[in-house]
Amino acid sequence: MIEIANFVYYADLFGIAIFSVTGVLAARGKQIDLFGIMVLALATSLGGGTLRDLALNAHPLIWIADPILLWTAIGAAVLTFVYCRFWMLPRRALLVLDAAGLALFAIAGAEKAMGLGFSPLIAVIMGVSTGCAGGVIRDLLTGRIPGILQHEEFYATCALIGATFYVLMQGQMQPNLLALSAIALIFCIRMLAIFTGFRLPVFVVTGIDRTPRR
Amino acid sequence: MIEIANFVYYADLFGIAIFSVTGVLAARGKQIDLFGIMVLALATSLGGGTLRDLALNAHPLIWIADPILLWTAIGAAVLTFVYCRFWMLPRRALLVLDAAGLALFAIAGAEKAMGLGFSPLIAVIMGVSTGCAGGVIRDLLTGRIPGILQHEEFYATCALIGATFYVLMQGQMQPNLLALSAIALIFCIRMLAIFTGFRLPVFVVTGIDRTPRR
Amino acid sequence: MIEIANFVYYADLFGIAIFSVTGVLAARGKQIDLFGIMVLALATSLGGGTLRDLALNAHPLIWIADPILLWTAIGAAVLTFVYCRFWMLPRRALLVLDAAGLALFAIAGAEKAMGLGFSPLIAVIMGVSTGCAGGVIRDLLTGRIPGILQHEEFYATCALIGATFYVLMQGQMQPNLLALSAIALIFCIRMLAIFTGFRLPVFVVTGIDRTPRR
């Protein structure tokens, strides 16, 4: 059985592979070349963990400390690039993969912050931001308004719920089981949100002057 | 009387609350849900100080060191969210609040850099970039060209004038008075710029080939 | 003869001046005022090195350690601003300058990472990301999809080839000669790519469901 100390590593590894694939898929229809796609895949998959480690002052960065993470991202991107030229991808593959990456990164982020001795609140914030940051970077680079800011997305909230569960249940369950439960929780809520269309109340402004300005 | 050593803290606190409100207001008409708005509010209000502290290698980051700053941002966002459902916001509220946040962050940034022993030049740069960064992040996340890069905005220049004044007048005035004067200076210049339409000369290219490319 | 230890400094210096000019030129037709242009020039020219130094935990940042870099960026921006009001800029000036900046920053980034004891792989990654980051920031701030992600741009690949050459040839050539060769290599490949239209295969998705979503 792996130790929870190694858990961040494996969760980062899988999350990186998955987000790398979503980075490649986000390039569809944009006429981006092979290496541009590689840049997009690396920024998407390594961006979240990099921002987390910078904020926590945890040097060296994960992908500098261990090049296997880099090769994982590169390998996943190349495989996806090749795969998409020949085979059919299931519909909504991007959404499902993105949900899995979100779940893995959110819990890896929360665990890393707690392992470094930060407070539960900071651990939750780090979980949510690690989970969401990669997708935000991907969306900004491909010229879209980030998905987390769009109304159909019950997205960051899933990470918030899962990371909060993970932090609050510390010591109540066997560590690996807790981590896996929290990851499954995020993934399932997100899947439910996608397929049922459930969402939070939208920001409705009743009182503000709606005359367009700027 | 508060010490100038605490000044950065209080200026950050007020600036965070104000920028958090502007983050929520920037979401109007975008169909962003409650938690998406929270992310936007946090990124807007904490982004500037985070970048400043990363650049100055001043760890832990302000909102990690003191969770009150986080709760301030969250609280201000929730209050704004609720308020806008029921009451009328004065016209141009976003612009006025943004000006106040700019003023507070600019002087907090400059003071923090000087307190850490950096040169006056770096203090001015940090003041300007701390003041502007939050708004830039907010505009990027909501799909707008950042206001600081638009011609109607005499924006970053206000922070530059105020931060330069603050740095040059060190030792000439009582510290708190100087800080408040510099903040008021930035706010007033910005208000004047908004309401009189005053602006810097626009970049006009006379010689360059204007044939569109890319 | 300058030592290779100083090479990063000079390459950064020239790269900063060049990217500062491209930042100003990117503002054409956008009605951006003098100081907005200055912000754009500074973000473009200092952004790449800043991200590199943050990722490598190499503090203080280059432009904090040495204000001459800041003044170089400011000076280059002001000169460009004035120049463009009176004289004709050769067609494609932005593309050629950008290629030179890319070459300088890529090799400076790789050399800095190696000088700090990082592995060859990290040195290549740092070279590519330092070279590309400034342009990405510039494009995001001016509301364009970053050039590195567009199909006509054989861009990041040039930095990759040059940085890889630089890292692999360590010890095989006199250091300064090697650095200059690598810079020239990147610049020439990029020029070739621009003027011959050569590019990598574009990402073509054959199998994926093309029904637009979100």
Side-chain angles (χ1 to χ4, degrees):
Chain A
M1 176 178 288
I2 64 164
E3 293 194 41
I4 190 66
N6 289 328
F7 168 77
V8 172
Y9 179 77
Y10 289 105
D12 272 335
L13 195 67
F14 280 98
I16 282 169
I18 287 169
F19 267 117
S20 179
V21 173
T22 72
V24 175
L25 294 181
R28 69 184 178 212
K30 301 250 173 191
Q31 296 277 323
I32 299 179
D33 77 12
L34 174 56
F35 196 67
I37 279 173
M38 205 60 67
V39 171
L40 191 56
L42 288 177
T44 303
S45 60
L46 304 174
T50 299
L51 289 180
R52 175 194 68 198
D53 290 355
L54 286 178
L56 297 177
N57 202 21
H59 289 280
L61 303 180
I62 45 168
W63 50 273
I64 289 182
D66 183 357
I68 287 176
L69 299 175
L70 269 176
W71 291 116
T72 301
I74 293 169
V78 170
L79 284 179
T80 310
F81 187 84
V82 172
Y83 185 96
C84 286
R85 294 205 154 217
F86 297 104
W87 289 287
M88 187 77 182
L89 257 185
R91 186 169 154 71
R92 294 189 169 169
L94 178 54
L95 284 173
V96 175
L97 287 170
D98 195 68
L102 173 71
L104 286 161
F105 272 178
I107 303 307
E111 171 59 32
K112 177 140 193 181
M114 282 198 299
L116 290 168
F118 290 96
S119 72
L121 175 64
I122 297 299
V124 170
I125 299 266
M126 280 299 148
V128 175
S129 53
T130 307
C132 298
V136 171
I137 294 170
R138 179 191 63 215
D139 291 345
L140 285 179
L141 289 178
T142 52
R144 290 187 284 191
I145 290 192
I148 53 159
L149 297 180
Q150 301 201 347
H151 76 116
E152 75 262 63
E153 305 275 343
F154 186 71
Y155 189 92
T157 313
C158 306
L160 176 68
I161 293 170
T164 305
F165 169 79
Y166 183 70
V167 165
L168 290 182
M169 293 294 286
Q170 286 296 311
Q172 311 291 315
M173 289 169 73
Q174 196 276 333
N176 289 338
L177 188 62
L178 173 57
L180 289 174
S181 309
I183 290 170
L185 179 66
I186 296 175
F187 183 76
C188 292
I189 300 176
R190 178 82 183 110
M191 284 295 100
L192 267 176
I194 291 173
F195 292 106
T196 68
F198 174 76
R199 59 190 210 232
L200 286 183
V202 169
F203 182 43
V204 177
V205 184
T206 55
I208 206 169
D209 185 330
R210 274 198 202 67
T211 318
R213 236 199 84 84
R214 95 148 59 146
Chain B
M1 177 178 287
I2 65 164
E3 292 196 42
I4 190 65
N6 290 329
F7 168 76
V8 173
Y9 179 77
Y10 289 105
D12 272 334
L13 195 68
F14 280 98
I16 283 169
I18 288 170
F19 268 117
S20 180
V21 173
T22 72
V24 176
L25 294 181
R28 68 184 178 214
K30 302 249 175 192
Q31 296 278 320
I32 300 179
D33 78 12
L34 174 56
F35 196 67
I37 280 174
M38 207 57 68
V39 171
L40 192 56
L42 287 177
T44 304
S45 59
L46 304 174
T50 299
L51 289 180
R52 173 194 70 198
D53 289 356
L54 286 178
L56 297 177
N57 201 21
H59 288 279
L61 303 179
I62 44 168
W63 51 273
I64 290 182
D66 184 357
I68 288 176
L69 299 176
L70 269 175
W71 291 117
T72 301
I74 294 169
V78 170
L79 285 179
T80 310
F81 187 83
V82 172
Y83 185 96
C84 286
R85 293 204 155 220
F86 299 102
W87 289 286
M88 187 78 184
L89 258 184
R91 190 169 152 73
R92 294 190 170 168
L94 178 53
L95 285 173
V96 174
L97 287 169
D98 195 68
L102 173 71
L104 285 161
F105 272 180
I107 303 306
E111 171 57 34
K112 177 141 192 180
M114 282 199 300
L116 290 167
F118 290 96
S119 71
L121 174 64
I122 297 299
V124 170
I125 299 268
M126 280 299 148
V128 175
S129 51
T130 305
C132 298
V136 170
I137 293 169
R138 180 190 63 215
D139 291 346
L140 285 179
L141 289 178
T142 52
R144 289 188 284 191
I145 291 193
I148 53 159
L149 297 180
Q150 301 201 347
H151 77 115
E152 74 262 65
E153 305 276 342
F154 186 72
Y155 190 91
T157 313
C158 306
L160 177 68
I161 293 170
T164 305
F165 169 79
Y166 183 69
V167 165
L168 291 181
M169 293 295 285
Q170 286 296 311
Q172 312 290 315
M173 289 168 73
Q174 195 276 334
N176 290 338
L177 188 63
L178 174 55
L180 290 173
S181 308
I183 290 170
L185 179 66
I186 296 176
F187 183 76
C188 293
I189 300 177
R190 178 82 184 110
M191 283 296 100
L192 266 176
I194 292 173
F195 292 106
T196 66
F198 173 75
R199 60 192 212 228
L200 286 183
V202 169
F203 182 42
V204 176
V205 184
T206 54
I208 208 169
D209 184 331
R210 274 197 202 70
T211 317
R213 235 198 85 81
R214 105 146 55 146
Chain C
M1 178 178 287
I2 64 163
E3 291 195 44
I4 190 66
N6 289 329
F7 168 77
V8 173
Y9 179 77
Y10 288 105
D12 272 334
L13 195 68
F14 280 98
I16 282 169
I18 288 169
F19 267 116
S20 180
V21 173
T22 73
V24 176
L25 294 181
R28 68 181 178 216
K30 302 248 173 193
Q31 296 278 322
I32 300 178
D33 78 10
L34 175 56
F35 196 67
I37 280 173
M38 205 59 68
V39 171
L40 191 56
L42 287 177
T44 303
S45 59
L46 304 175
T50 299
L51 289 180
R52 175 193 70 199
D53 289 355
L54 286 178
L56 298 176
N57 202 20
H59 288 277
L61 303 180
I62 44 168
W63 50 273
I64 290 182
D66 184 356
I68 288 175
L69 299 176
L70 269 175
W71 291 117
T72 301
I74 293 169
V78 170
L79 284 178
T80 310
F81 187 83
V82 171
Y83 185 96
C84 286
R85 294 205 154 219
F86 298 104
W87 290 286
M88 187 76 183
L89 257 185
R91 189 168 153 69
R92 295 189 169 170
L94 178 53
L95 285 172
V96 174
L97 287 170
D98 194 67
L102 173 71
L104 286 162
F105 272 179
I107 303 307
E111 171 58 33
K112 176 139 192 182
M114 283 198 301
L116 290 168
F118 291 96
S119 72
L121 175 63
I122 297 300
V124 170
I125 300 268
M126 280 301 147
V128 174
S129 51
T130 306
C132 298
V136 171
I137 294 169
R138 179 190 63 215
D139 291 345
L140 284 179
L141 289 177
T142 52
R144 290 187 284 192
I145 292 191
I148 53 159
L149 297 179
Q150 301 201 346
H151 77 115
E152 74 262 62
E153 304 276 342
F154 186 72
Y155 189 91
T157 313
C158 306
L160 177 67
I161 293 171
T164 305
F165 169 79
Y166 184 70
V167 165
L168 290 181
M169 293 295 285
Q170 286 296 312
Q172 311 291 314
M173 289 168 72
Q174 196 275 335
N176 290 337
L177 188 62
L178 173 56
L180 290 174
S181 308
I183 290 170
L185 179 66
I186 296 174
F187 183 75
C188 292
I189 300 176
R190 178 82 183 111
M191 284 294 102
L192 266 175
I194 291 173
F195 291 107
T196 67
F198 173 75
R199 59 192 211 229
L200 286 184
V202 170
F203 182 43
V204 177
V205 184
T206 56
I208 206 169
D209 185 330
R210 274 197 201 69
T211 317
R213 235 199 84 82
R214 99 147 62 142

